[in-house]
Amino acid sequence: MSELIKKAYEIAKEQYAAIGVDTDAAIAKMKDVNISLHCWQTDDVSGTENPDGQLSGGIQATGNYPGKARNASEIMADLEKVMSLLPGKQRLNLHALYGDFSEGMVDRDAIGIKQFQAWIDWCKAQGIGLDFNGSFFSHPKADSGFTLSSKDEKIRKFWVEHLKRSREIANEIGKQLGTPCVLNTWIPDGSKDTPIDRNGMRAQLTKSLDEGFEQEFPKEHMKDAVESKVFGIGAETMTVGSHDYYLGYAIKNNKMICLDNGHFHPTEVVGDKISSCLQFVDEVLLHVTRPVRWDSDHVVTLNEEVQTIASEIVRNDFLDRVNIGLDFFDASINRIGAYVVGTRAAQKAFLIAGLEPTKEMIKLEEAGKNFERLAMLEELKTMPFAAVWDYYCLQEGVPTGSNYIAEVQKYENEVLAKR
Ligand code: RNT
Ligand code: ZN
């Protein structure tokens, strides 16, 4: 089998070379594609605080497939399995509601590094970086639908404290692991029906963010991102943290903007936004997902949208300015399989992006040869990419082609089915 893969690769290499593409270089570039795996696909965003509690905040994981992780050690075991089926090096993206509460419950305004040390140690053992998120949902103090933008001073202060704690934890994570921790802030705040005081709510949010972000941390340890959204379930009419809002905030305050491709109107193209945002902010964070008709967070597949995102990053050498995270949670299929399919799809998009003769195509564009540009884009779609992908997987010592399916099934039978 591996002989066949090598042979196929040699042929593919020649075919790509004929259009000016170096396949070895494209594979080498994959070293810089470090995808942050969102912990929440293991357990449908349940967390370890109150795993049987109701997920709130206008997001929803639909389905009831057996075998979901029930605690931190099951989440870790599942993630280890996932990473063993992925080429390259990943990171972990953890939410604050996944703390270690074995020594007693601690509320969100009181969490500290202690509740996350086990995760840091696990990441250290895996040799991976760790990113972090404050959790502004699935909590009684978020029941009104407002957190950082609340006009109830007690509620607002509680969440500001949570933001501060999350940033301190992120700083400590980055310090301990020696790679900056990306701290993403997303809040569900919004209104089901037409609000009157949009401005007042947004002014509250600005006040809260300014307070929460007051303390400066070294960039080598932590970097802040703010995530916008167009609507949530139960908050259909207005989102306080809209894209206009956060893009403005990020530019003014030198924060990263987090672009989740489920958070825009369906004809908007997130791939197109990257080069716009990067004119004005140093870095962006991505939440790569697949919205089907709404922000449904389906498993990522290799579609045109994801390809545009990856191509825009690779074409412009933006890999050091774009932090890549995933954000999907499908509870209707094997969750480990969901991760592997979704992450490998995103990785494929990046490898495909590296197999484009970009300079030549820019020349066509600049010469006004738009038929030729279109033709090349079409031809690239059916070049022998799979041979390069398989060779990359072979080099990395992970299953090639569809061989991960059997591995996922085995884990299901031996581990998940017993939960
Ligand atoms: C919600 C946002 C947010 C969450 C996670 C759990 O619409 O996309 O990123 O999905 O933080
Ligand atoms: Zn997101």
Side-chain angles (χ1 to χ4, degrees):
M1 183 59 183
S2 69
E3 279 316 305
L4 201 63
I5 288 170
K6 283 179 194 157
K7 229 195 262 173
Y9 178 69
E10 286 311 316
I11 297 170
K13 188 173 161 159
E14 272 183 48
Q15 284 175 276
Y16 278 106
I19 57 162
V21 170
D22 179 345
T23 50
D24 290 334
I27 290 175
K29 215 184 190 92
M30 290 301 286
K31 254 197 345 290
D32 301 329
V33 179
N34 303 123
I35 297 183
S36 198
L37 298 178
H38 53 310
C39 70
W40 51 95
Q41 165 63 55
T42 55
D43 72 340
D44 320 333
V45 211
S46 302
T48 52
E49 257 183 11
N50 177 17
D52 301 322
Q54 190 65 38
L55 174 60
S56 83
I59 53 178
Q60 220 166 63
T62 54
N64 194 21
Y65 198 83
K68 115 179 190 183
R70 295 162 299 180
N71 51 53
S73 51
E74 289 182 356
I75 295 173
M76 288 173 186
D78 288 359
L79 288 167
E80 283 174 34
K81 185 74 220 173
V82 169
M83 289 192 288
S84 76
L85 301 175
L86 300 174
K89 196 140 212 72
Q90 285 73 48
R91 303 172 60 85
L92 173 65
N93 191 14
L94 193 69
H95 243 290
L97 78 169
Y98 287 78
D100 172 4
F101 302 110
S102 54
E103 285 180 30
M105 200 39 223
V106 180
D107 209 350
R108 307 256 177 103
D109 63 340
I111 48 169
I113 195 63
K114 193 164 161 229
Q115 284 74 37
F116 297 92
Q117 192 58 50
W119 284 108
I120 300 177
D121 295 344
W122 180 78
C123 286
K124 208 176 274 169
Q126 306 298 314
I128 63 172
L130 176 57
D131 299 313
F132 199 58
N133 305 259
S135 307
F136 297 82
F137 52 90
S138 301
H139 189 284
K141 287 202 167 60
D143 282 350
S144 69
F146 295 93
T147 63
L148 291 178
S149 73
S150 176
K151 291 187 182 179
D152 177 333
E153 196 56 10
K154 274 228 294 284
I155 298 277
R156 194 185 70 80
K157 281 281 183 204
F158 175 87
W159 291 112
V160 168
E161 192 55 36
H162 180 57
L163 173 57
K164 290 185 180 171
R165 299 280 170 147
S166 299
R167 295 183 72 234
E168 281 165 22
I169 293 165
N171 180 59
E172 184 62 27
I173 289 173
K175 205 193 287 177
Q176 287 195 34
L177 292 176
T179 163
C181 173
V182 174
L183 189 262
N184 184 43
T185 298
W186 168 71
I187 60 166
D189 302 26
S191 182
K192 182 184 176 80
D193 245 324
T194 314
I196 306 300
D197 194 14
R198 297 170 197 255
N199 183 57
M201 296 168 194
R202 292 190 167 124
Q204 288 296 93
L205 178 54
T206 307
K207 184 165 142 194
S208 298
L209 292 174
D210 288 350
E211 288 172 22
F213 290 143
E214 207 173 86
Q215 188 172 352
E216 299 268 354
F217 291 107
K219 260 174 111 174
E220 315 83 74
H221 296 160
M222 74 85 71
K223 304 187 282 194
D224 285 297
V226 284
E227 181 180 9
S228 70
K229 190 162 178 170
V230 65
F231 82 97
I233 298 173
E236 289 86 357
T237 305
M238 193 251 345
T239 297
V240 182
S242 61
H243 186 55
D244 313 61
Y245 177 89
Y246 276 129
L247 187 57
Y249 192 90
I251 293 169
K252 187 168 175 194
N253 297 285
N254 197 21
K255 300 289 175 200
M256 282 192 262
I257 181 85
C258 171
L259 302 170
D260 178 317
N261 62 299
H263 290 190
F264 294 89
H265 289 286
T267 58
E268 282 185 84
V269 176
V270 162
D272 183 63
K273 296 179 188 294
I274 296 170
S275 60
S276 295
C277 294
L278 286 181
Q279 304 293 323
F280 305 107
V281 293
D282 292 341
E283 292 184 39
V284 299
L285 168 64
L286 295 179
H287 273 186
V288 184
T289 186
R290 179 163 54 106
V292 179
R293 303 192 191 282
W294 67 287
D295 181 28
S296 59
D297 290 294
H298 278 64
V299 176
V300 168
T301 56
L302 182 54
N303 60 19
E304 199 162 347
E305 158 133 47
V306 174
Q307 191 56 63
T308 307
I309 291 173
S311 295
E312 278 297 305
I313 296 168
V314 173
R315 278 174 190 151
N316 296 300
D317 255 326
F318 282 155
L319 277 167
D320 56 347
R321 297 178 63 194
V322 178
N323 301 270
I324 310 159
L326 303 170
D327 188 5
F328 52 82
F329 28 101
D330 190 337
S332 75
I333 58 174
N334 180 308
R335 294 171 183 79
I336 311 304
Y339 261 125
V340 179
V341 168
T343 314
R344 284 172 73 115
Q347 292 178 309
K348 284 176 185 166
F350 280 94
L351 185 56
I352 289 174
L355 295 168
E356 177 187 86
T358 306
K359 282 199 184 109
E360 289 308 309
M361 290 173 72
I362 290 177
K363 272 190 210 148
L364 295 178
E365 184 165 281
E366 288 175 347
K369 295 190 170 177
N370 292 345
F371 144 66
E372 290 83 348
R373 179 185 65 183
L374 179 66
M376 275 312 291
L377 281 170
E378 278 306 285
E379 291 314 311
L380 283 167
K381 289 180 183 169
T382 49
M383 289 287 286
F385 162 72
V388 183
W389 169 256
D390 279 342
Y391 185 72
Y392 170 53
C393 289
L394 191 69
Q395 272 190 346
E396 293 285 317
V398 299
T400 57
S402 59
N403 291 320
Y404 61 86
I405 297 175
E407 297 277 335
V408 172
Q409 287 170 336
K410 187 162 171 266
Y411 188 74
E412 171 155 35
N413 294 334
E414 289 172 1
V415 181
L416 302 180
K418 297 189 178 133
R419 286 183 185 163

